[in-house]
């Protein structure tokens, strides 16, 4: 039997930091102005009314209101809108 442990290298010890992507404010919930609604890679969801798209494709609210997800019949894409709460 060997008296010394194997001295090889391990290849599976490194891990990347989590990116925390996904929907942060769901459909029907209220959002404050500037609140992040969705973090994504690419434009799976598109910015609609009263929302804007950040440089890393993050969608955020421009005004305070209620978040709505609207499926477009034209091109099968989903738009995220913020409707002002009265």
């Amino acid at each position: 039997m060997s008296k010394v442990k194997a001295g090889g290298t391990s290849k599976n010890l490194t891990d990347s930091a989590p990116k925390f992507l996904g929907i942060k404010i769901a459909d029907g919930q209220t959002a404050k102005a500037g609140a992040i609604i969705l973090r994504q890679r690419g434009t799976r969801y598109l910015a609609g009314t009263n929302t804007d798209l950040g440089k890393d494709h993050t969608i955020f609210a421009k005004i305070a209101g209620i978040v709505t997800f609207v499926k477009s019949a034209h091109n099968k894409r989903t738009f995220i809108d913020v409707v002002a709460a009265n």
Side-chain angles (χ1 to χ4, degrees):
M1 288 187 74
S2 173
K3 292 184 167 96
V4 181
K5 283 176 133 181
T9 61
S10 288
K11 296 181 181 179
N12 61 350
L13 294 178
T14 60
D15 195 9
S16 61
K19 304 303 179 206
F20 303 106
L21 301 176
I23 297 172
K24 306 302 179 188
I25 301 175
D27 191 8
Q29 292 183 326
T30 58
K32 295 180 181 177
I36 293 175
I37 300 170
L38 172 80
R39 289 180 53 86
Q40 62 184 346
R41 292 290 173 260
T43 52
R44 179 182 174 120
Y45 296 90
L46 298 175
T49 310
N50 297 323
T51 58
D52 209 357
L53 195 66
K55 68 177 185 177
D56 62 345
H57 304 121
T58 296
I59 296 178
F60 60 92
K62 291 169 112 179
I63 64 167
I66 299 172
V67 176
T68 59
F69 286 70
V70 180
K71 186 97 169 168
S72 172
H74 172 67
N75 57 5
K76 306 281 196 267
R77 300 295 294 269
T78 303
F79 288 87
I80 300 177
D81 299 334
V82 174
V83 180
N86 293 334

